[in-house]
Amino acid sequence: MTRPPTLTAEGGDPAAPHPSTPPGEDGGGLRPGLRNRHLSMIAIGGVIGAGLFVGSGSGIAAAGPAILVSYALVGLLVVLVMRMLGEMAAADPRSGSFSAYADRALGRWAGFSIGWLYWFFWVVVLAVEATAGATILNGWVPAVPQWAWALIVMFVLTGSNLASVASYGEFEFWFAGIKVVAIGAFIVIGLLAAFGVLPGSDHPGSGFSHLTDAGGFLPKGPGAILTGVLLVVFSFMGSEIVTLAAGESADPRRAVSKATNSVIWRICVFYLGSIFVVLALVPWNSAAVTKDGSYVAALDTIGIPHVGTVMDVIVLTAVLSCLNSGLYTASRMAFSLGRRGDAPRAFHRTSSRGVPHVAILSSVAFGFLAVWFNYQWPDTVFQFLLNSSGAVALFVWLVICLTQLRMRRIILREAPEKLVVRMWLFPYLTWLTAAVIVFVVGYMLTDDSARDEMLLSLLVAAIVVAIALVRRAVGRETPAEGVPAPDARP
């Protein structure tokens, strides 16, 4: 058995080209262009998706105040998964992140499968977010058709991503900044209103009584907590983006360590804090929670004028942020797959500015196609795309758990000094996290509202894994450039 070569950081030297890029093949590979402030906001904004603003109402209606427990459980799961991913990414920053680590630790089939599933998830998200943003913009300027707004939004952010990675970082810095300020202001204003000390507020100052005054804290029983978990779990997808982006920064290890260590407070403040304020301001069973959205309903009780327009601006910002990050993430995963020979080699080409332009254009092309499906066949083809990509978050998290179990040993053997972030209580907490994810997958199969989504996601995952295994059987796998062969030792 040949021992894998020593772990090396991808793009660790800001002046050096991407290590897997043959000289003269393209513009020289990915280049560090993200500053510390970019990565800080990417890390913060990654956990604040549009789903938090527009999707939390259904969770509140399904579980009542106990949705806080659902958010806390999923948040804890994300913290643990991010700790595992942070351990690997800090030791070996790579553009493909968990896909490249799965390639190394579990086998080429694993890196191929989870990489393509993750790419599929984000290109479908492009269509979802573009359509959501177009709906808001069409409401403001109805003279421009909704489909035209979707194209405009996609074109603008595609141009931003093609310009340079710094351009993506700058857009995301301001998008994420607006989201952070909006949620921070909402929490402060909401708490003041809840206790009746906000000047000019119409809220009666009920304190925290709404947490128990409509059937108690568990109005629909303990089982509703699990139902709530299924409804909120996918709104956390995006926390891992910073580990992909870190490879294009001057100091990736510092960026990953900082992001990993701060994920706890980010989830506590932005998810638990804001949902807690919503539940304090408005009864969970109010029709406005599902009709107008949980945040709009909460702001309405305060008496803020033009609350609908305010929320439209905030949601549009969240949508554009998610679209911007989705295009970046999909293109970097495609770039990594091309680099490892698991996608067309053209995906690995970069422009003179270090931008993987082929991977970006290929990803956005599928995004445009998905937008077209959404307008042509929203209840058939597009619904299939949504359902078949819906559970990818759980698959990604499970693969991260299994990969970290192997990568810890590889890192300790080859470069123990690079283990600057460590998973807590290894390996017991890793195994427990994996078991919880498997439990959630199994529970989705028993839940009528989630079964179709899980079955279609499993079908697509099985097809991708089968393709990976067939490629290996027929000898189509090629040695991945810059990625050592998986370690075979237990």
Side-chain angles (χ1 to χ4, degrees), residues 256-440:
V256 169
S257 299
K258 185 177 179 181
T260 302
N261 292 331
S262 65
V263 70
I264 297 176
W265 72 260
R266 288 186 276 128
I267 288 175
C268 287
V269 171
F270 298 126
Y271 277 90
L272 294 178
S274 62
I275 296 298
F276 179 84
V277 169
V278 168
L279 291 167
L281 290 174
V282 61
W284 69 269
N285 56 355
S286 169
V289 170
T290 52
K291 179 184 176 183
D292 302 324
S294 57
Y295 288 81
V296 172
L299 291 172
D300 270 335
T301 66
I302 298 175
I304 294 179
H306 311 296
V307 65
T309 302
V310 171
M311 282 307 302
D312 277 348
V313 172
I314 296 172
V315 171
L316 179 61
T317 302
V319 163
L320 295 177
S321 172
C322 191
L323 182 58
N324 191 41
S325 290
L327 181 52
Y328 172 85
T329 305
S331 65
R332 267 45 178 192
M333 185 58 72
F335 171 88
S336 178
L337 288 167
R339 170 183 172 244
R340 289 178 273 143
D342 290 336
R345 285 291 185 183
F347 284 9
H348 179 228
R349 294 175 185 164
T350 57
S351 68
S352 58
R353 296 185 178 183
V355 173
H357 54 291
V358 178
I360 290 174
L361 293 174
S362 300
S363 299
V364 81
F366 192 94
F368 278 124
L369 183 62
V371 169
W372 183 67
F373 286 152
N374 193 14
Y375 287 109
Q376 288 292 112
W377 303 291
D379 299 324
T380 53
V381 178
F382 189 71
Q383 192 61 41
F384 170 81
L385 293 177
L386 281 179
N387 288 339
S388 60
S389 64
V392 167
L394 293 172
F395 301 160
V396 168
W397 296 346
L398 182 59
V399 167
I400 289 172
C401 294
L402 300 179
T403 300
Q404 191 259 341
L405 289 168
R406 300 291 303 277
M407 284 297 294
R408 166 68 75 91
R409 297 183 179 90
I410 296 174
I411 297 169
L412 284 175
R413 186 178 66 245
E414 298 179 358
E417 72 281 0
K418 293 182 178 179
L419 200 61
V420 294
V421 176
R422 288 176 177 262
M423 175 59 185
W424 307 296
L425 298 178
F426 177 85
Y428 309 108
L429 205 48
T430 301
W431 279 116
L432 178 61
T433 305
V436 171
I437 295 171
V438 172
F439 171 78
V440 173

Side-chain angles (χ1 to χ4, degrees), residues 16-398:
H18 196 285
S20 65
T21 302
E25 179 184 320
D26 51 44
L30 299 180
R31 298 179 183 178
L34 295 174
R35 301 178 182 178
N36 287 335
R37 65 183 180 88
H38 294 153
L39 286 168
S40 296
M41 277 301 178
I42 290 171
I44 294 172
V47 297
I48 310 173
L52 175 62
F53 297 105
V54 299
S56 55
S58 59
I60 292 173
I67 194 66
L68 283 170
V69 181
S70 303
Y71 272 105
L73 289 175
V74 179
L76 177 60
L77 194 65
V78 172
V79 167
L80 296 176
V81 170
M82 279 297 295
R83 187 73 184 184
M84 298 176 218
L85 183 55
E87 175 181 299
M88 297 182 286
D92 188 19
R94 289 188 177 273
S95 58
S97 188
F98 51 85
S99 174
Y101 308 138
D103 197 308
R104 173 85 190 272
L106 304 179
R108 296 295 306 283
W109 68 271
F112 175 96
S113 302
I114 203 63
W116 276 113
L117 286 172
Y118 191 69
W119 178 87
F120 176 56
F121 172 86
W122 280 110
V123 292
V124 173
V125 166
L126 294 182
V128 175
E129 302 299 340
T131 304
T135 302
I136 295 174
L137 291 167
N138 179 251
W140 294 346
V141 188
V144 179
Q146 191 179 114
W147 63 265
W149 277 121
L151 293 180
I152 291 170
V153 168
M154 292 274 277
F155 272 121
V156 170
L157 294 180
T158 299
S160 166
N161 275 263
L162 285 172
S164 68
V165 67
S167 179
Y168 154 73
E170 200 63 31
F171 266 84
E172 191 57 24
F173 175 81
W174 291 106
F175 287 154
I178 293 172
K179 290 190 293 185
V180 169
V181 170
I183 292 184
F186 173 78
I187 291 174
V188 172
I189 293 172
L191 287 175
L192 291 175
F195 286 100
V197 295
L198 182 68
S201 173
D202 297 333
H203 196 273
S206 56
F208 300 143
S209 62
H210 286 325
L211 295 176
T212 56
D213 64 4
F217 187 75
L218 289 166
K220 297 195 173 184
I225 293 175
L226 284 177
T227 301
V229 166
L230 301 187
L231 291 171
V232 307
V233 66
F234 304 113
S235 65
F236 283 82
M237 191 69 161
S239 304
E240 70 291 333
I241 292 175
V242 69
T243 65
L244 282 87
E248 293 179 79
S249 67
D251 191 358
R253 287 192 177 85
R254 179 176 177 274
V256 169
S257 299
K258 185 177 179 181
T260 302
N261 292 331
S262 65
V263 70
I264 297 176
W265 72 260
R266 288 186 276 128
I267 288 175
C268 287
V269 171
F270 298 126
Y271 277 90
L272 294 178
S274 62
I275 296 298
F276 179 84
V277 169
V278 168
L279 291 167
L281 290 174
V282 61
W284 69 269
N285 56 355
S286 169
V289 170
T290 52
K291 179 184 176 183
D292 302 324
S294 57
Y295 288 81
V296 172
L299 291 172
D300 270 335
T301 66
I302 298 175
I304 294 179
H306 311 296
V307 65
T309 302
V310 171
M311 282 307 302
D312 277 348
V313 172
I314 296 172
V315 171
L316 179 61
T317 302
V319 163
L320 295 177
S321 172
C322 191
L323 182 58
N324 191 41
S325 290
L327 181 52
Y328 172 85
T329 305
S331 65
R332 267 45 178 192
M333 185 58 72
F335 171 88
S336 178
L337 288 167
R339 170 183 172 244
R340 289 178 273 143
D342 290 336
R345 285 291 185 183
F347 284 9
H348 179 228
R349 294 175 185 164
T350 57
S351 68
S352 58
R353 296 185 178 183
V355 173
H357 54 291
V358 178
I360 290 174
L361 293 174
S362 300
S363 299
V364 81
F366 192 94
F368 278 124
L369 183 62
V371 169
W372 183 67
F373 286 152
N374 193 14
Y375 287 109
Q376 288 292 112
W377 303 291
D379 299 324
T380 53
V381 178
F382 189 71
Q383 192 61 41
F384 170 81
L385 293 177
L386 281 179
N387 288 339
S388 60
S389 64
V392 167
L394 293 172
F395 301 160
V396 168
W397 296 346
L398 182 59

